[in-house]
C-alpha cells in the first residue's frame, strides 16, 4: 500500500521509476488515463465478444444470458452519490459474469453517517469483496480509496473530476455507431465545467484523434482551465476559447464553434461546415454549482439537430437528462443514448474480467500500489508547510477524509512549472520554490517561504 501520512520532512522530487510488481500487484482505474489505448481496445474486443456470445436473442445491444467466469467473485459498490446506470450496470455485469454483488448505496445508512472515513471503509470492504466500485461527491475520492484498498478500485464518478467507465461506454458506443474511433467530428455540449463524464471523454477523444468541438451549455460552463491545459499540452488537442464567444456567437446566429486537432498550433476558429458524426450532451450538473447559479441552458431538439451538418450525427448522452434533450428525438435512429446505457453492461463485464484476470485475452498489467509509474515526479510536503490543493472540492479538504491524504503533487514542468494534485488532478501555477539545505518545498508566495525559513525562488527561474 502507498504511504498514507505526510512525512515529517519535505521529500525531494524523485526521478521516475518503473514499479516492479510483487505478488500483491493489482490495478486501479481512477482516470481514463490509467488505461492505455491498447488496453481500451482489448476491453472493447471483450465487450463485443460478450455481446456476441451472451447477447439478447432479439436486441443486439443488450446482454441476455449469463456466464460463469466470475463464479465465486464479489463486486462491491460503494456509492455516496445518487446513481442508477453506473451502479446497476456494474452489478448486472458482475451477475452476468456469474459473480455476486454487495452494495452500499445510501450514505445515510452506512458508517459514513457516523463520520467514518473513506480510508477505513475501503480497508474494511477490501476484506468483503474482490473488486470495488466507488462514487463520491469529492474530486479525487477514488484515488484516496485506491491508496487504502487492497483490491482493485474503479472510479464510478468522483465529484467533477472523472468518470472513466462512462467514457468506456461512450467510446464503445461511438465505435459501434460509427465503426471506427479515428478522426470523428464530435461536438461536446452541455456543462463542460461540472460534467465529470466530459472530462474523461475529451481526454479519450483526443487520444483517439477525434476532432473535438466544444459547445458550453451556458455562460461560465467552459472546460476547467486545467482540463483545457492538459488537452492542449499533453494530448496535443486544441483548447477551446476561454471566453464566452461560442455562446455569444450562437446567440447572434453565427454558428461558429472551435475545432480541435491533433496538430498543435493549427487551431482554426471556423464556421462548422463539415459533417458532425457525434453530438454529445450532458445535463446541467446542479449539484456542482452553488444554489441559484443556473443560467440559460442549451436545449437540443429536432429543430436544433435539423441542420444539414447534423444530418448523420448520432446523439449521445450519459443520462440522466433533465430537459436539455427533447424526448421527441427518442424514436429517431440517431438517438444512441439508450443503446449507450445498454452497452454499460458488456463494457463493464469486460473491465471486471480484465481487472480480475478472468480472461487472459484482456489481461491488464499489474503494478505495486495499483498504478503504473507516473510520467511526472511526485513531491510530498507537510500540509502546514506550504501550498495545498486549490480545489475546494478536493478530497484533501474533506473534514473526515482530508487527514488521510498526503499533501502530494505531480511536478509538471512544461512551459513553466505547475503542481498537479495527486488526488483531484487540478493544477496550481505561479508557485514559489523554497530551498533550505538540500530540501525544496513549494509556497504560494515569497513571504510564506521566508516565514518558513526557506529561500524563495520564482518557479520560472528554477526551470
Ligand atoms: C453521469 C454522472 O454521474 O456523472 N451519470 C452516469 O453515470 N450516467 C452523468 C450525470 O449525472 O449527468
Amino acid at each position: 500500500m502507498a504511504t498514507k501520512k505526510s512525512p515529517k520532512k519535505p521529500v525531494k522530487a524523485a526521478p521516475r521509476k518503473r514499479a516492479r510488481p510483487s505478488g500483491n500487484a493489482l490495478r486501479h482505474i481512477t482516470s481514463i488515463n490509467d488505461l492505455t489505448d491498447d488496453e481500451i481496445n482489448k476491453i472493447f474486443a471483450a465487450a463485443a465478444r460478450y455481446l456476441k456470445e451472451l447477447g439478447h436473442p432479439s436486441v443486439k445491444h443488450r446482454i441476455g444470458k449469463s456466464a460463469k467466469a466470475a463464479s465465486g467473485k464479489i463486486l462491491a459498490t460503494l456509492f455516496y452519490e445518487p446513481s442508477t446506470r453506473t451502479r446497476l450496470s456494474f452489478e448486472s455485469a458482475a451477475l452476468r459474469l456469474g459473480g455476486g454483488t454487495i452494495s452500499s448505496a445510501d450514505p445515510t445508512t452506512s458508517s459514513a453517517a457516523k463520520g467514518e472515513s473513506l480510508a477505513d471503509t475501503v480497508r474494511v470492504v477490501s476484506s468483503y469483496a474482490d473488486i470495488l466500485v466507488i462514487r463520491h461527491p469529492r474530486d479525487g475520492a477514488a484515488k484516496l480509496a485506491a491508496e487504502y484498498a487492497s483490491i482493485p478500485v474503479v472510479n464510478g464518478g468522483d465529484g467533477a473530476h472523472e468518470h472513466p467507465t462512462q467514457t468506456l461506454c461512450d467510446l464503445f458506443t461511438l465505435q459501434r455507431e460509427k465503426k471506427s474511433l479515428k478522426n470523428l467530428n464530435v461536438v461536446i455540449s452541455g456543462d463542460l465545467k461540472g460534467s465529470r463524464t466530459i472530462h474523461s471523454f475529451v481526454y479519450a477523444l483526443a487520444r483517439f484523434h477525434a476532432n473535438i468541438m466544444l459547445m458550453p451549455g451556458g455562460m461560465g460552463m467552459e472546460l476547467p482551465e486545467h482540463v483545457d491545459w492538459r488537452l492542449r499540452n499533453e494530448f496535443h488537442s486544441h483548447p477551446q476559447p476561454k471566453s464566452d464567444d461560442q455562446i455569444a456567437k450562437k446567440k447572434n446566429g453565427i454558428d461558429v464553434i472551435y475545432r480541435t486537432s491533433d496538430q498543435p498550433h493549427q487551431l482554426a476558429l471556423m464556421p462548422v461546415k463539415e459533417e458532425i458524426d457525434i453530438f454529445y450532451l450532458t445535463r446541467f450538473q446542479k449539484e456542482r454549482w452553488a444554489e441559484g447559479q443556473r443560467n440559460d441552458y442549451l436545449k437540443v431538439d429536432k429543430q436544433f439537430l435539423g441542420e444539414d451538418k447534423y444530418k448523420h450525427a448520432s446523439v449521445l448522452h450519459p443520462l440522466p437528462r433533465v430537459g436539455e434533450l427533447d424526448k421527441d428525438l427518442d424514436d429517431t435512429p440517431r438517438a444512441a443514448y439508450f443503446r449507450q446505457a445498454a452497452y454499460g453492461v458488456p463494457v463493464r463485464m469486460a473491465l471486471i474480467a480484465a481487472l480480475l484476470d478472468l480472461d487472459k485475452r484482456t489481461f491488464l498489467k499489474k503494478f505495486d500500489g495499483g498504478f503504473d509509474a507516473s510520467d511526472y515526479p511526485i513531491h510530498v510536503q507537510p500540509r502546514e508547510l506550504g501550498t495545498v490543493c486549490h480545489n475546494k472540492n478536493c478530497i484533501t479538504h474533506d473534514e473526515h477524509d482530508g487527514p488521510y491524504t498526503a499533501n502530494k503533487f505531480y511536478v509538471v514542468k512544461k512551459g513553466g512549472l505547475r503542481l498537479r494534485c495527486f488526488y483531484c488532478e487540478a493544477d496550481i501555477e505561479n508557485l514559489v520554490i523554497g530551498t533550505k539545505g538540500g530540501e525544496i518545498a513549494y509556497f504560494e508566495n515569497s513571504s510564506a517561504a521566508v516565514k518558513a525559513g526557506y529561500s524563495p525562488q520564482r518557479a520560472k527561474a528554477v526551470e
Side-chain angles (χ1 to χ4, degrees):
M1 249 188 326
T3 326
K4 301 306 169 308
K5 286 202 166 164
S6 304
K8 295 268 175 316
K9 282 184 164 191
V11 174
K12 264 197 256 174
R16 186 182 168 161
K17 255 197 227 143
R18 288 268 146 202
R20 231 183 255 137
S22 71
N24 299 325
L26 76 169
R27 190 72 185 267
H28 304 298
I29 310 297
T30 60
S31 159
I32 191 65
N33 299 318
D34 290 330
L35 288 165
T36 65
D37 293 356
D38 186 48
E39 288 170 338
I40 290 175
N41 283 324
K42 284 192 174 137
I43 286 167
F44 290 172
R49 280 199 300 276
Y50 288 129
L51 275 175
K52 208 166 165 199
E53 290 160 16
L54 304 170
H56 189 280
S58 51
V59 190
K60 70 177 191 330
H61 51 269
R62 236 184 245 172
I63 294 289
K65 294 176 221 147
S66 299
K68 291 196 173 71
S71 164
K73 300 286 185 193
I74 296 176
L75 173 125
T77 52
L78 200 53
F79 275 48
Y80 296 91
E81 259 194 354
S83 168
T84 302
R85 271 151 295 275
T86 305
R87 188 169 66 82
L88 294 185
S89 63
F90 258 115
E91 293 183 4
S92 172
L95 294 168
R96 291 295 195 194
L97 285 170
T101 65
I102 52 175
S103 187
S104 170
D106 177 3
T108 61
T109 61
S110 77
S111 289
K114 300 179 187 167
E116 184 174 54
S117 69
L118 192 54
D120 284 357
T121 307
V122 300
R123 276 183 286 196
V124 170
V125 175
S126 293
S127 318
Y128 300 162
D130 302 287
I131 179 169
L132 167 64
V133 185
I134 179 168
R135 169 168 289 191
H136 198 280
R138 287 281 194 179
D139 304 11
K143 199 69 171 279
L144 170 67
E147 277 200 302
Y148 284 88
S150 46
I151 56 176
V153 170
V154 179
N155 182 3
D158 58 339
H161 173 230
E162 282 209 39
H163 193 344
T165 68
Q166 180 62 48
T167 288
L168 291 178
C169 303
D170 300 343
L171 283 180
F172 187 70
T173 311
L174 251 62
Q175 198 182 52
R176 303 289 281 196
E177 300 281 312
K178 299 291 171 190
K179 309 288 175 245
S180 162
L181 288 177
K182 295 249 156 112
N183 303 319
L184 292 174
N185 288 334
V186 185
V187 171
I188 303 284
S189 65
D191 184 352
L192 312 189
K193 182 165 188 242
S195 296
R196 54 196 175 198
T197 63
I198 287 180
H199 303 159
S200 296
F201 194 35
V202 288
Y203 294 143
L205 286 172
R207 282 169 50 185
F208 284 97
H209 308 290
N211 297 317
I212 308 166
M213 304 172 202
L214 299 164
M215 192 186 279
M219 294 293 182
M221 293 187 192
E222 293 78 20
L223 282 180
E225 194 280 331
H226 65 274
V227 175
D228 179 65
W229 189 92
R230 283 188 79 181
L231 269 184
R232 193 183 344 179
N233 293 286
E234 294 177 6
F235 297 95
H236 306 299
S237 187
H238 260 301
Q240 93 291 11
K242 307 244 171 7
S243 69
D244 290 326
D245 267 9
Q246 297 172 53
I247 304 281
K249 291 199 169 92
K250 188 96 195 148
K251 281 197 169 152
N252 293 332
I254 311 164
D255 192 3
V256 177
I257 54 181
Y258 293 78
R259 182 172 194 270
T260 69
S261 118
D262 57 347
Q263 300 298 310
H265 315 302
Q266 286 188 1
L267 176 65
L269 167 57
M270 53 162 63
V272 185
K273 291 207 189 75
E274 48 204 314
E275 219 170 73
I276 305 299
D277 299 299
I278 301 288
F279 188 90
Y280 187 95
L281 176 65
T282 63
R283 71 181 168 95
F284 172 66
Q285 307 282 306
K286 69 174 171 27
E287 64 275 42
R288 321 255 173 254
W289 293 75
E291 198 70 32
Q293 262 187 308
R294 174 165 192 172
N295 47 47
D296 278 354
Y297 200 72
L298 195 70
K299 181 136 180 115
V300 174
D301 53 17
K302 274 190 174 158
Q303 193 194 345
F304 184 103
L305 292 171
E307 291 176 56
D308 250 19
K309 61 177 176 283
Y310 294 127
K311 210 163 52 194
H312 301 295
S314 298
V315 181
L316 270 71
H317 193 306
L319 303 175
R321 63 176 157 185
V322 287
E324 68 285 347
L325 180 62
D326 199 317
K327 65 176 175 34
D328 285 357
L329 285 160
D330 294 0
D331 297 328
T332 62
R334 61 169 50 184
Y337 30 94
F338 291 116
R339 292 191 287 280
Q340 183 186 358
Y343 290 142
V345 178
V347 167
R348 289 177 170 119
M349 286 169 78
L351 183 67
I352 295 168
L355 289 169
L356 293 181
D357 287 341
L358 305 178
D359 182 347
K360 293 297 164 219
R361 286 171 295 187
T362 36
F363 181 80
L364 297 184
K365 212 165 159 193
K366 307 293 185 301
F367 306 102
D368 277 343
F371 296 103
D372 193 2
S374 142
D375 284 343
Y376 300 115
I378 290 176
H379 174 87
V380 189
Q381 65 187 35
R383 193 186 295 267
E384 58 282 4
L385 181 64
T387 199
V388 294
C389 179
H390 288 187
N391 172 8
K392 291 202 168 57
N393 196 48
C394 178
I395 191 76
T396 54
H397 298 305
D398 188 84
E399 185 194 345
H400 300 297
D401 299 320
Y404 289 83
T405 63
N407 199 24
K408 187 148 88 169
F409 304 95
Y410 299 107
V411 182
V412 181
K413 288 183 181 169
K414 261 183 195 215
L417 180 137
R418 42 178 69 212
L419 292 186
R420 177 166 302 152
C421 175
F422 176 79
Y423 299 93
C424 75
E425 299 187 289
D427 290 352
I428 310 173
E429 294 172 84
N430 300 321
L431 291 153
V432 162
I433 301 182
T435 54
K436 186 164 83 174
E439 289 168 10
I440 60 165
Y442 295 89
F443 297 90
E444 298 288 331
N445 50 50
S446 301
S447 52
V450 172
K451 210 166 150 204
Y454 283 72
S455 312
Q457 282 171 284
R458 266 280 149 207
K460 278 240 180 251
V462 181
E463 282 289 280

